Amino acid sequence: MASWVGVKSSVTPSQVDAVARAIRKTPIVDNHAHPLLRFEALGKHPLLSITTEASGDAIHAATSSLPHLRAVRQLATVLGCGFTWESVVAAIEQRRIDSFEDWAAQCLSGVEAVLVDDGLDGEDAEEYSWFDDYTRSKSKRIVRIEKVAAEIINRLGKTCDASTQTGDDVIDDAFDEWLQEFDAHIKAAIEDPEVVAFKSVICYRTGLDVLAADEEAARRAFGDIIANFALLDFERLQEVSLNDFIVHRTATLIRDSASRHKKPIQFHTGLGDNDITLSKSSPSHLQPFIRAYPTVPIVLLHASYPFTREAGYLASVYENVYADIGEVFPAVSQDGQERILRQILELCPWSKVIWSSDGHWFPETYLLANMQMREAFEMVLCEYVRKGHIGWKAAIELVRDMLFRTSNKLYRLGLEFSELEESSDVDVGAYLTDAELFQNYLKNQDRPDFIRICWNDFTAQPRMRMVPYRKFTSLLEDGRSTDIGITKAVFGMIQNDWLMPGSVATGEYRLHPDFSSLKKGPIDGHVSMYADFREKSGASVPLCPRSLLQRAVELGAENNLTFLLGFEIEFLLVERVDKPSSIITNGVNGTNHSRYTALTTDGHAWSVSRYFADPRISKLLHDIVAALEEMGIFVEQLHAESATGQFELVLPPYAPIEAVDTLLHTRDVISALATAAGFRITLHPKPFAHACGTAAHTHMSISSPGGSRPEIYESFYAGVLKHFPAIIAFTYSNPASFERLADGAWAGGRWVTWGTQNRETALRKIEDSHWELKCMDGLANPYFAMAAVLFSGIHGVSVREKLVWGDCEIDPANLTENDRKEMGVTKMLPGSMEEALKALKEDVELVEWMGSELVERYVALKEFEGTFLLKMGEEERRQWLMERY
């Protein structure tokens, strides 16, 4: 019995969708960031720094951090490259070469304006106004006060060092001059409309435990610097009294300014590199300073991580304090980001929370920060809405306040709010919720009666659960999960539900539908999705066929390889004989079963046109193609095959998961329409002894850049050929499969080899990386079969496997012994299920890639299935399989 989990809420999917849309479409006022490096200076700093504050040798450990791994996945997705850091770096370098401006524009998409602390990296950095070409509104400056103070000291120190005059009076005069210049600079910035705030990095210098202003102590510290200037390599202020003094001086000048609007001081808090003394980076140290300047707005930057709750507290109890939640995107893991957002909202009013990227040096920092922030907002806020913690309209106001309106007001930017255009790239990396995917699908569809959640088991039986539309939509509306509980015995049963030894009906997996696989059908009133099995914890299940293929696809991506698969569906139309056969003693409860016979021949043969003469068949084939087209599956070819009533339908190429999902769905459509027309289809590989068999030929190509290079695709197919005997256990997965295995029958033959346009070889090369796998039939679980092929080929590329087999131009069965030796055609494919399973167990590498737990279960179940089938007579077994395939 199915079981559902979730929490009831009165919110509707459309209301949750409105919140998600607001998150994706609200423009960002980035209230604290840094300039990018000039193009020619990009190589001076490590790109690895985009997700870490570490520097020096410590930065190299970042590659094993969760933020780095997430950044690799996201950047690889955006860039369309392999899922490795090396691939990402190469792709970024190529984007820079192709058009750095276009890449920067994509990275900054969705940003309204950037407030730039331009006190970083000097001549290597672009001007703050550089951003104006990439954002909807003009950028503004943030003045870093320690840089201003240090630059004046540096000039005065050089002047005094060059002078012959010394003494306290000279130093006092220099201090007065320094203070006068500093005041003038700050006052000018207060009046400058291009400057919207000040920034202090006292957290880096001497810590946030700012003491009361002490001008005499500051004067003495200044004197020490000037007196010893010739001996110092002066770059920045490190003296406590001077640092404390200029922070107080700036706040005093802001407080006493004539302007009614007081410009904020931003303080670096928390997260930073190892210059920081962590114990002095908590914003709680600033409490006395905050109290001393109640009219001066103070912004606590970087979520004060790991002191986020302290920042939220201060912002909630002091009118002049605001909490920024930047830099943690992308410097903290996804779970950490969501936790930070929850922590800041535990106590702090959202009207006191603002957001920044802390983007710096590289445009990718802005891209990752914006993507990850929107993901975290969507995850946390939509959950709050579903649970009733906040109304959906209030959630939209929260988003607009935190991302735009509060900063617009605080910094007096005078911007008009308007949502991002639909063409904006801001949705790069953003995901649609299951409810959104379902609603989008239904926009142009009639309301279905049932939703099918489908899977393919170890015996390639198509199985499913059906959920009535009303129940399914109520789950989505209530914010409850749509996954279904399925017994763990699901991967221990054969076609008639008998359990193999050692398999019991205890324990439960969760079957999670993949909403991206939604398709109409296979019959009117139904829609279907394919699903993945997971543990209740959400962990993947090693035995899940679909998850296994996904793992193979991910391994390919890590090796810069992507693939397209296209299936040929051969099927045989047969007719049901009314008289049931004798009772099958090995069947379920001894029930009767039907008998199937071939259609009456009308000269049916390969590719002949006369098969359309029968109006029933021509209408059926027309209906199949029309129905599939309505489902978005566009048939490429359809023709008669050799056996009476046998046809082949060719599907277009898709990415592997989509290709297999589409294959299985198409078979269901064909079967349903054939049954409705009074026929029955079978995928039995050899339903009639003297007619051609039925296969599931697979076209494969390497779609990633460079895939058409011989050194890539030859190694891939060399890997497949090397492991072919073991792969056969998955592609010829039933004793009946080996009835089709023959030489001279266009079935791929019995030899491990390949040939260009040779239909008698197991692998047929068509052009470049486009090859055809001929040794597979409709009794194979295609997730397993394709995973085995991909794992073998990917490993072949990774080790640069040599294609030691020559291009076989004739039927390999007709080669002489010398020919075989020269061509490398020395090994035969397994001749039985037993031989194939033995080859699989002995292939240590393939067992490792597929997973030892899965292979052990698969072999045990296939042996149990084989024993069961062999107890039947030959005709009885043939009919039994035709009932099920």
Side-chain angles (χ1 to χ4, degrees):
M1 181 177 178
S3 59
W4 310 94
V5 296
V7 179
K8 180 103 175 141
S9 169
S10 60
V11 70
T12 66
S14 62
Q15 292 167 344
V16 176
D17 293 344
V19 176
R21 183 183 183 280
I23 293 167
R24 294 193 293 270
K25 294 301 180 184
T26 295
I28 296 167
V29 174
D30 190 341
N31 98 102
H32 179 83
H34 303 277
L36 296 186
L37 294 171
R38 297 182 186 277
F39 185 80
E40 59 273 15
L42 285 169
K44 292 185 178 182
H45 297 274
L47 186 61
L48 198 56
S49 66
I50 61 177
T51 61
T52 180
E53 283 286 348
S55 58
D57 291 340
I59 196 173
H60 301 295
T63 56
S64 59
S65 70
L66 294 180
H68 174 83
L69 297 176
R70 184 184 182 200
V72 169
R73 291 194 300 271
Q74 292 182 319
L75 288 170
T77 300
V78 173
L79 292 161
C81 67
F83 285 66
T84 65
W85 178 240
E86 292 75 18
S87 299
V88 167
V89 171
I92 288 174
E93 289 176 351
Q94 189 60 50
R95 286 291 184 96
R96 292 173 180 173
I97 294 169
D98 293 343
S99 176
F100 180 73
E101 292 78 11
D102 289 347
W103 175 234
Q106 184 175 353
C107 291
L108 288 161
S109 179
V111 178
E112 179 72 31
V114 184
L115 311 187
V116 185
D117 167 13
D118 57 1
L120 188 65
D121 297 308
E123 294 180 355
D124 285 345
E126 297 281 4
E127 296 293 327
Y128 77 93
S129 58
W130 180 91
F131 290 98
D132 293 351
D133 291 335
Y134 302 95
T135 55
R136 298 202 306 184
S137 299
K138 299 292 185 182
S139 304
K140 298 294 183 180
R141 283 188 66 214
I142 299 168
V143 172
R144 183 181 290 205
I145 61 175
E146 287 83 6
K147 182 182 180 184
V148 172
E151 286 178 346
I152 301 171
I153 290 175
N154 195 47
R155 181 177 54 78
L156 291 174
K158 290 177 181 178
T159 301
C160 291
D161 190 46
S163 172
T164 57
Q165 298 179 350
T166 58
D168 293 342
D169 290 343
V170 173
I171 292 175
D172 282 344
D173 289 345
F175 179 82
D176 293 338
E177 185 178 351
W178 169 75
L179 186 56
Q180 184 178 1
E181 284 196 34
F182 181 81
D183 286 357
H185 198 109
I186 299 301
K187 289 177 180 178
I190 290 173
E191 298 300 323
D192 186 352
E194 288 298 298
V195 175
V196 295
F198 299 91
K199 160 79 175 294
S200 173
V201 291
I202 194 171
C203 184
Y204 273 108
R205 303 295 180 258
T206 53
L208 293 177
D209 51 344
V210 179
L211 301 175
D214 186 341
E215 184 171 334
E216 289 306 312
R219 188 179 294 270
R220 289 192 297 272
F222 178 89
D224 290 341
I225 295 173
I226 298 299
N228 298 285
F229 195 81
L231 303 176
L232 298 175
D233 184 15
F234 180 80
E235 290 184 0
R236 60 189 188 182
L237 295 179
Q238 298 284 46
E239 293 73 19
V240 173
S241 57
L242 267 177
N243 275 293
D244 291 350
F245 180 74
I246 64 171
V247 169
H248 279 286
R249 191 74 176 184
T250 302
T252 299
L253 292 171
I254 294 171
R255 181 194 64 192
D256 296 343
S257 66
S259 172
R260 187 167 59 88
H261 166 60
K262 309 300 182 184
K263 292 185 178 180
I265 304 177
Q266 298 180 342
F267 282 90
H268 182 112
T269 64
L271 187 61
D273 62 32
N274 58 12
D275 270 355
I276 281 177
T277 299
L278 186 62
S279 61
K280 293 185 176 183
S281 68
S282 168
S284 60
H285 292 296
L286 284 172
Q287 197 164 8
F289 182 86
I290 292 167
R291 289 171 177 160
Y293 301 98
T295 62
V296 177
I298 292 171
V299 178
L300 308 174
L301 293 172
H302 311 324
S304 302
Y305 184 84
F307 308 106
T308 303
R309 285 189 168 106
E310 284 90 331
Y313 167 78
L314 293 171
S316 69
V317 298
Y318 292 103
E319 182 184 5
N320 59 325
V321 177
Y322 294 82
D324 161 79
I325 53 168
E327 193 178 8
V328 292
F329 307 90
V332 177
S333 72
Q334 184 170 4
D335 285 345
Q337 291 168 358
E338 293 169 11
R339 190 177 303 112
I340 287 164
L341 182 55
R342 290 185 173 96
Q343 286 180 355
I344 204 71
L345 293 174
E346 286 174 354
L347 179 64
C348 187
W350 76 67
S351 59
K352 302 295 291 296
V353 183
I354 52 181
W355 187 81
S356 70
S357 65
D358 195 47
H360 61 282
W361 293 348
F362 303 107
E364 295 79 19
T365 58
Y366 291 87
L367 174 68
L368 291 171
N370 295 341
M371 288 170 60
Q372 294 183 10
M373 175 274 294
R374 294 187 195 272
E375 288 180 1
F377 270 50
E378 192 160 342
M379 182 64 70
V380 172
L381 298 181
C382 289
E383 178 188 347
Y384 283 175
V385 170
R386 290 189 187 99
K387 289 183 175 180
H389 295 179
I390 185 174
W392 67 277
K393 291 182 179 179
I396 292 174
E397 294 303 300
L398 179 155
V399 171
R400 292 174 176 174
D401 283 347
M402 289 174 63
L403 299 186
F404 186 95
R405 292 194 294 223
T406 300
S407 287
N408 189 36
K409 180 179 178 182
L410 175 64
Y411 299 106
R412 292 297 193 271
L413 301 178
L415 304 175
E416 293 292 330
F417 176 86
S418 64
E419 286 192 334
L420 296 168
E421 298 294 331
E422 290 297 327
S423 60
S424 171
D425 289 334
V426 69
D427 283 334
V428 171
Y431 61 89
L432 293 176
T433 63
D434 289 347
E436 285 179 301
L437 287 168
F438 193 66
Q439 284 193 333
N440 289 344
Y441 170 80
L442 291 178
K443 283 180 181 176
N444 299 312
Q445 304 284 344
D446 294 332
R447 200 197 86 167
D449 299 315
F450 292 99
I451 287 79
R452 295 187 180 203
I453 301 175
C454 310
W455 73 95
N456 205 243
D457 71 10
F458 273 42
T459 64
Q461 282 292 288
R463 296 181 185 266
M464 66 156 179
R465 290 290 182 89
M466 290 200 312
V467 184
Y469 173 81
R470 185 180 298 277
K471 174 63 177 179
F472 195 80
T473 53
S474 72
L475 292 170
L476 292 174
E477 288 172 359
D478 292 347
R480 298 163 66 191
S481 177
T482 54
D483 59 293
I484 296 174
I486 301 290
T487 175
K488 289 190 173 182
V490 65
F491 296 135
M493 62 176 63
I494 60 174
Q495 297 89 333
N496 61 356
D497 301 340
W498 283 16
L499 292 181
M500 59 175 277
S503 183
V504 294
T506 59
E508 184 178 77
Y509 294 131
R510 304 301 302 182
L511 185 65
H512 288 258
D514 179 353
F515 282 71
S516 68
S517 68
L518 267 166
K519 280 191 170 56
K520 183 179 179 180
I523 64 175
D524 288 342
H526 289 209
V527 296
S528 299
M529 286 183 281
Y530 284 86
D532 299 291
F533 286 90
R534 299 181 200 163
E535 299 287 359
K536 287 188 176 182
S537 65
S540 61
V541 173
L543 302 178
C544 175
R546 195 170 186 268
S547 299
L548 178 70
L549 179 56
Q550 182 60 47
R551 187 156 57 83
V553 170
E554 290 171 356
L555 179 65
E558 291 172 6
N559 287 271
N560 306 321
L561 297 171
T562 57
F563 308 94
L564 290 174
L565 304 178
F567 292 99
E568 297 175 358
I569 302 179
E570 292 183 1
F571 61 94
L572 188 76
L573 291 174
V574 294
E575 291 182 307
R576 190 188 304 267
V577 178
D578 290 336
K579 181 180 177 181
S581 70
S582 59
I583 293 176
I584 302 176
T585 56
N586 292 315
V588 179
N589 299 324
T591 55
N592 292 349
H593 73 111
S594 299
R595 294 179 64 85
Y596 301 98
T597 185
L599 303 182
T600 302
T601 183
D602 53 358
H604 187 109
W606 174 76
S607 292
V608 298
S609 60
R610 68 176 61 92
Y611 65 83
F612 260 104
D614 186 334
R616 293 189 307 154
I617 292 179
S618 62
K619 183 178 186 307
L620 170 61
L621 298 178
H622 168 274
D623 290 348
I624 289 170
V625 173
L628 290 171
E629 185 170 329
E630 190 177 351
M631 298 167 190
I633 302 170
F634 300 99
V635 174
E636 298 205 335
Q637 289 186 43
L638 178 63
H639 62 268
E641 278 290 355
S642 182
T644 300
Q646 188 182 45
F647 297 91
E648 178 178 292
L649 182 147
V650 180
L651 292 173
Y654 300 101
I657 293 291
E658 184 179 5
V660 174
D661 290 347
T662 303
L663 167 68
L664 296 174
H665 188 71
T666 302
R667 285 176 178 170
D668 279 347
V669 172
I670 296 171
S671 178
L673 290 173
T675 300
F679 299 104
R680 163 81 176 170
I681 73 158
T682 181
L683 304 175
H684 192 295
K686 196 71 172 175
F688 305 114
H690 301 293
C692 282
T694 302
H697 298 159
T698 307
H699 290 256
M700 302 176 288
S701 62
I702 302 173
S703 56
S704 45
S708 60
R709 299 204 312 265
E711 61 267 29
I712 299 297
Y713 70 75
E714 287 185 358
S715 289
F716 180 86
Y717 291 110
V720 175
L721 288 165
K722 178 180 179 181
H723 297 280
F724 224 145
I727 292 172
I728 288 295
F730 296 107
T731 61
Y732 280 172
S733 64
N734 190 284
S737 301
F738 295 88
E739 298 172 18
R740 176 178 168 271
L741 184 65
D743 294 320
W746 295 14
R750 298 184 299 150
W751 293 90
V752 177
T753 190
W754 68 280
T756 301
Q757 296 297 3
N758 189 343
R759 289 170 168 80
E760 292 295 351
T761 54
L763 277 179
R764 174 171 73 107
K765 180 181 179 181
I766 299 171
E767 183 180 13
D768 295 334
S769 73
H770 179 187
W771 292 37
E772 180 187 23
L773 173 72
K774 298 188 69 67
C775 295
M776 179 168 156
D777 61 38
L779 276 59
N781 181 309
Y783 297 114
F784 283 156
M786 291 301 98
V789 169
L790 292 184
F791 277 129
S792 300
I794 293 164
H795 187 259
V797 174
S798 70
V799 300
R800 299 180 181 179
E801 195 76 56
K802 297 296 183 183
L803 190 61
V804 296
W805 300 263
D807 187 350
C808 187
E809 298 177 348
I810 65 172
D811 186 339
N814 296 330
L815 292 173
T816 66
E817 287 300 320
N818 285 337
D819 290 338
R820 288 199 179 94
K821 186 175 182 180
E822 289 181 9
M823 301 285 292
V825 183
T826 59
K827 186 178 292 186
M828 298 189 73
L829 295 172
S832 67
M833 195 70 228
E834 292 79 10
E835 289 182 18
L837 293 176
K838 182 175 183 292
L840 174 59
K841 288 187 289 186
E842 292 175 351
D843 192 325
V844 177
E845 289 183 321
L846 187 58
V847 170
E848 180 183 353
W849 303 329
M850 300 289 283
S852 58
E853 181 183 354
L854 183 144
V855 171
E856 288 174 8
R857 176 68 63 91
Y858 182 81
V859 170
L861 187 136
K862 284 296 169 182
E863 289 174 345
F864 176 66
E865 175 192 29
T867 300
F868 170 78
L869 290 173
L870 288 175
K871 291 179 180 179
M872 302 181 191
E874 183 176 336
E875 176 62 17
E876 184 181 17
R877 181 168 59 252
R878 183 174 72 90
Q879 293 287 343
W880 193 87
L881 289 173
M882 288 175 67
E883 282 184 347
R884 290 160 175 80
Y885 300 96

